[in-house]
Amino acid sequence: MLKPYEGLFVLDAAQGIAGPYCGMLLAQCGADVVKLEPPKGDWSRGLSTRAESHSVMHTAFNRGKRAIVLDLADEGDRAKSARLAAKADVLIEAFRPGVARRIGLGPESAKADAVCISVSGFGQQGPHSERPCTDSVAQAYCGVVAINPGMDGLPHRVGTQIVDVFTGLSAFAACQAALAEQARDRASGAPPRRRHLDISLMQGAASMLVLPIAESGLLGRMPDEVNTPAGAYPAKDGVSVMFALVREQEWVTLCDVIGRPDLPQDPRFSDFPTRFANKPALVAILREVFLTKTSSEWLGLMQAARLLCDRVNTPLEYLAEPHVQAIRAAPLLDQPGLGPLPFPAIPGLGAWEPPAPALGQDTAAILAEFGV
């Protein structure tokens, strides 16, 4: 496993998902990450399946850290947290803009060459900087919901915290770039320079939509779908089959496989633009066709033709997939209080072993170690 950040001290004062996920990735790369929480704990400890001070959500994004509890409403504890921040190589916070500075956890409280990461909904500046934001709000604001219509024709949010996770990954990537630049400065003898990274859910969501946002700006409207009639179609056994098309020839091949070689000759369905313009009629035809065979039958035919397709799995079905088990893509982690939990291995970084800490479990040890 890659451990480039051994010896790096990270103070993670963020709650929720995005900031803590960045901290967890640094921990997986060898950093000593201290999770700073209020007496009632990170609010993620109260969501999802819970046991004792643990929850699955908190465990998912806080593995491998140590934990300290300080009451930032108390002057003495606030002074202790500020002294910890002054020793951190990386400082992560996710308070409303301006709050971290008021309580001694802002960039000016960090070391002269520290990397300071501020995670918020809309960023540290701008007319919406004070507006509350969540994953769902960011999905709606940036267009994720608008480009995700369901079979009912209505826009839908993606059913997991995709913006939070992607924003956490973005924060981790930006932090790595800042640490690399810091190392270059040190090697060249340049004076120490503090780096403040402004990471927002808004920009995290928008950065996932680089293609539709760029094309919308060019055209002045919502762009057409790029691969109609790709999507999920229920089969005879009730299991849906998902396929995608990236070349016109794949449409011809698909029609041959499903026994409708006439469809590419229909002027309504001859290419991607015409298929998008006549999507409702085409989808209705394909729905009827896919109900004539089971999902296994369709996948056997489609995969033999080298088409891009697979069955629509639930997360539990994903865990049972032979390929997933063969490469240990979701190894078990024994989390005290909760028991064995399957967590997806992070590509390139491998499986994770240390569990998430109990609320405040290391408070005394950390205060003594850092002399605060």
Side-chain angles (χ1 to χ4, degrees):
M1 295 177 68
L2 301 172
K3 297 291 184 183
Y5 299 134
E6 287 183 343
L8 195 76
F9 171 43
V10 179
L11 182 62
D12 178 4
Q15 297 189 48
I17 294 176
Y21 190 36
C22 174
M24 191 191 82
L25 292 172
L26 290 168
Q28 184 157 9
C29 290
D32 175 19
V33 181
V34 170
K35 171 84 173 181
L36 171 60
E37 297 178 79
K40 291 184 179 180
D42 184 329
W43 54 259
S44 69
R45 290 186 185 271
L47 296 177
S48 70
T49 303
R50 302 184 298 277
E52 300 171 9
S53 68
H54 301 286
S55 74
V56 176
M57 178 181 286
H58 182 268
T59 301
F61 303 105
N62 290 279
R63 288 164 276 163
K65 302 178 185 179
R66 296 192 287 167
I68 182 173
V69 165
L70 293 173
D71 184 358
L72 299 183
D74 176 81
E75 185 175 344
D77 276 5
R78 196 159 60 244
K80 292 175 184 177
S81 68
R83 289 195 290 271
L84 274 177
K87 297 175 182 289
D89 299 299
V90 177
L91 173 61
I92 306 172
E93 60 91 4
F95 298 99
R96 286 184 295 106
V99 172
R101 281 186 165 88
R102 291 201 298 271
I103 61 176
L105 290 175
E108 66 284 344
S109 300
K111 295 196 315 185
D113 63 348
V115 176
C116 304
I117 303 171
S118 294
V119 180
S120 64
F122 288 92
Q124 299 300 300
Q125 299 177 354
H128 294 340
S129 61
E130 294 290 332
R131 181 184 291 186
C133 184
T134 64
D135 185 286
S136 296
V137 171
Q139 286 194 36
Y141 186 88
C142 296
V144 176
V145 175
I147 66 168
N148 190 39
M151 289 300 186
D152 56 5
L154 299 175
H156 294 268
R157 68 179 290 274
V158 177
T160 188
Q161 294 78 22
I162 187 170
V163 174
D164 280 324
V165 171
F166 193 82
T167 303
L169 283 169
S170 299
F172 176 59
C175 182
Q176 291 185 95
L179 290 170
E181 189 178 69
Q182 177 195 78
R184 187 179 63 187
D185 285 354
R186 288 174 176 171
S188 67
R193 179 163 55 98
R194 188 181 294 120
R195 292 157 176 85
H196 185 200
L197 308 178
D198 184 0
I199 309 292
S200 71
L201 297 183
M202 181 199 77
Q203 290 186 305
S207 64
M208 294 190 297
L209 303 185
V210 56
L211 176 57
I213 286 179
E215 197 168 9
S216 294
L218 175 67
L219 300 175
R221 61 171 174 80
M222 284 279 284
D224 297 345
E225 288 182 354
V226 297
N227 57 3
T228 303
Y233 294 83
K236 186 177 182 179
D237 55 356
V239 176
S240 291
V241 173
M242 173 77 80
F243 68 83
L245 305 171
V246 296
R247 298 179 180 85
E248 287 293 356
Q249 181 56 44
E250 291 169 347
W251 167 240
V252 176
T253 302
L254 174 68
C255 292
D256 288 341
V257 167
I258 66 174
R260 291 298 306 267
D262 57 303
L263 290 178
Q265 311 308 315
D266 189 319
R268 297 175 299 166
F269 312 135
S270 59
D271 55 25
F272 283 119
T274 57
R275 289 195 294 275
F276 174 68
N278 296 283
K279 181 178 179 179
L282 180 54
V283 168
I285 292 171
L286 294 180
R287 281 181 176 175
E288 288 188 8
V289 171
F290 274 90
L291 287 173
T292 62
K293 297 183 187 295
T294 66
S295 57
S296 295
E297 290 173 321
W298 282 127
L299 288 172
L301 293 169
M302 294 167 72
Q303 289 174 352
R306 304 296 293 173
L307 289 168
L308 301 165
C309 62
D310 219 312
R311 62 173 280 152
V312 176
N313 282 328
T314 65
L316 194 60
E317 288 167 338
Y318 169 79
L319 292 173
E321 281 285 332
H323 180 76
V324 173
Q325 295 182 356
I327 66 171
R328 296 189 73 241
L332 294 176
L333 176 142
D334 190 10
Q335 177 64 44
L338 289 170
L341 296 171
F343 282 114
I346 300 169
L349 297 183
W352 185 259
E353 295 179 0
L359 179 61
Q361 71 174 34
D362 306 298
T363 298
I366 290 169
L367 291 177
E369 177 183 339
F370 288 95
V372 297

